[in-house]
Amino acid sequence: MMGPMLADVIDLLICPVCREGLARAGGAVRCGRGHSFDVARQGYVSLLTGSAAPGTADTPAMVAARADFLAAGHYAPLADRLARLCADAAVVADAGAGTGYYLARALPEGAAGIALDISRHAIKRAARAHPRVGAVVADVWRPLPVRDVSVDVLLNVFAPRNPAEFARVLRPGGTLVVVTPAARHLRPLVERLGLLSVDEDKERRLEEALGGRFARTGLDAVEVALDLGHPAVEAVVGMGPSAWHTDPGTLADRVRALPDPVRVTASFQITTWVPRAC
Ligand SMILES: C[S@@+](CC[C@H](N)C(=O)[O-])C[C@H]1O[C@@H](n2cnc3c(N)ncnc32)[C@H](O)[C@@H]1O
Ligand SMILES: [Zn+2]
């Protein structure tokens, strides 16, 4: 059966096949033309069409590492900052929401939240993250199953971006909030563990990618000093992009060689954007 969560956002969702509105129909959601999508028993719905999920979906191990790490509160200052940016929103969506951690914490009283992610493992958790979050499996690189001009704040935290679709779903005056790792993010783990480092050109590339559709309205930073024990170090590596590239045995050896705990900098860049009038 559809959980109460999806009920809060069903009016904001559209059929991925024909782009018509969706309504509940027993244990499924369905459009006027009869395209039907089962609601999983965990309360989320997959609005992916076809079978080809991209290889970028987070794996169960990555999702579990992120859930543990975030639950420990290490990145709470970032969540608090995002909550301030969402304070006046009635509808907040999160593209690449992962476990729904930031969306759940940023959602103001009475607002509805849409968590979008390609990873079922992540979205299962997002479905439980908050009573007013509706969790949807969707591919950010394809047309989003979200109505035109329906979203007040669109969050995008360490996740892929689709500028044309982000501009389409935002209301006039709505805000896109993008969080990217700053140059010092996870120092000194990057050097000591051989992790992927932040692309120095990231800021320019972000401007290039979004600048055609959006005007930047803000640039801000959140930096936190963390004293991480070795299990937390392993979690922070396991939840990030280096998890795809690092041999677990080598990594474990390098972690053992670190002080325990080790002082780590988490450094985030937050940019805000408004759609350009077209
Ligand atoms: C580094 S995680 C960040 C998750 C979450 N925003 C957070 O910070 O906790 C990147 C997320 O993007 C999702 N993702 C990757 N490719 C995607 C795509 N094409 N469409 C939607 N989500 C995608 C992954 O499954 C993963 O949950
Ligand atoms: Zn349809």
Side-chain angles (χ1 to χ4, degrees), residues 14-22 30-37:
I14 55 175
C15 173
V17 180
C18 69
R19 322 293 296 161
E20 274 199 16
L22 291 168
R30 190 184 304 191
C31 75
R33 300 193 189 188
H35 301 122
S36 181
F37 305 87

Coordinates of all heavy atoms in Angstrom, one line a residue, residues 14-22 30-37, ligand 2:
I14 N 4.6 13.5 -12.1 CA 4.0 13.2 -13.4 C 4.4 11.9 -14.0 O 5.5 11.4 -13.6 CB 4.2 14.3 -14.5 CG1 5.7 14.6 -14.6 CG2 3.5 15.6 -14.1 CD1 6.1 15.6 -15.7
C15 N 3.6 11.3 -14.8 CA 4.0 10.1 -15.5 C 5.2 10.2 -16.3 O 5.3 11.1 -17.2 CB 2.8 9.6 -16.3 SG 3.1 8.2 -17.3
P16 N 6.2 9.3 -16.1 CA 7.4 9.4 -16.9 C 7.2 9.0 -18.4 O 8.1 9.3 -19.2 CB 8.4 8.4 -16.2 CG 7.5 7.4 -15.6 CD 6.2 8.2 -15.2
V17 N 6.1 8.4 -18.7 CA 5.9 7.9 -20.1 C 5.2 9.0 -20.9 O 5.6 9.4 -21.9 CB 5.0 6.6 -20.1 CG1 4.8 6.2 -21.5 CG2 5.7 5.5 -19.3
C18 N 4.1 9.6 -20.3 CA 3.3 10.5 -21.1 C 3.2 11.9 -20.5 O 2.6 12.8 -21.1 CB 1.8 10.0 -21.3 SG 0.9 9.9 -19.8
R19 N 3.8 12.1 -19.3 CA 3.9 13.4 -18.7 C 2.6 13.9 -18.1 O 2.5 15.1 -17.7 CB 4.5 14.5 -19.6 CG 5.6 14.1 -20.5 CD 6.9 13.7 -19.8 NE 7.5 14.7 -19.0 CZ 8.4 14.5 -18.1 NH1 8.7 13.3 -17.7 NH2 9.0 15.5 -17.5
E20 N 1.5 13.0 -18.0 CA 0.3 13.4 -17.4 C 0.4 13.3 -15.9 O 1.3 12.7 -15.4 CB -0.8 12.5 -17.9 CG -1.5 13.0 -19.1 CD -2.8 12.3 -19.3 OE1 -3.4 11.8 -18.4 OE2 -3.3 12.4 -20.5
G21 N -0.6 13.9 -15.2 CA -0.6 13.8 -13.7 C -0.8 12.4 -13.3 O -1.3 11.5 -14.0
L22 N -0.4 12.1 -12.0 CA -0.5 10.8 -11.4 C -1.5 10.9 -10.3 O -1.6 11.9 -9.6 CB 0.8 10.3 -10.9 CG 1.9 9.9 -12.0 CD1 3.3 9.7 -11.3 CD2 1.5 8.7 -12.8
R30 N -1.0 5.9 -10.8 CA -1.4 5.7 -12.2 C -1.7 7.0 -12.9 O -2.3 7.9 -12.2 CB -2.6 4.8 -12.3 CG -2.9 4.3 -13.7 CD -4.1 3.5 -13.7 NE -4.0 2.4 -12.8 CZ -4.9 1.4 -12.8 NH1 -5.9 1.3 -13.6 NH2 -4.7 0.4 -12.0
C31 N -1.4 7.2 -14.2 CA -1.8 8.4 -14.9 C -3.1 8.1 -15.6 O -3.7 7.0 -15.6 CB -0.7 8.7 -15.9 SG -0.7 7.7 -17.4
G32 N -3.7 9.2 -16.2 CA -5.0 9.1 -16.9 C -5.0 8.1 -18.1 O -6.0 7.6 -18.5
R33 N -3.8 7.9 -18.6 CA -3.7 7.0 -19.8 C -3.5 5.6 -19.4 O -3.2 4.7 -20.2 CB -2.6 7.4 -20.7 CG -2.9 8.8 -21.3 CD -1.9 9.1 -22.4 NE -2.0 10.5 -22.8 CZ -1.4 11.0 -23.8 NH1 -0.7 10.2 -24.6 NH2 -1.5 12.2 -24.1
G34 N -3.4 5.3 -18.1 CA -3.3 3.9 -17.6 C -1.9 3.4 -17.4 O -1.7 2.2 -17.1
H35 N -0.9 4.3 -17.5 CA 0.5 3.9 -17.1 C 0.5 3.7 -15.6 O 0.1 4.7 -14.9 CB 1.5 4.8 -17.6 CG 1.5 5.1 -19.1 ND1 1.3 6.3 -19.7 CD2 1.6 4.2 -20.1 CE1 1.3 6.2 -21.0 NE2 1.5 4.9 -21.3
S36 N 1.0 2.6 -15.1 CA 0.9 2.3 -13.7 C 2.2 1.9 -13.1 O 3.0 1.2 -13.8 CB -0.1 1.2 -13.6 OG -0.3 0.9 -12.2
F37 N 2.5 2.4 -11.9 CA 3.8 2.2 -11.3 C 3.5 1.7 -9.8 O 2.9 2.4 -9.1 CB 4.6 3.5 -11.3 CG 4.7 4.0 -12.6 CD1 3.8 4.9 -13.2 CD2 5.8 3.7 -13.5 CE1 3.9 5.4 -14.5 CE2 5.9 4.1 -14.8 CZ 4.9 5.0 -15.3
Ligands
ZN2 ZN 1.2 8.1 -18.5

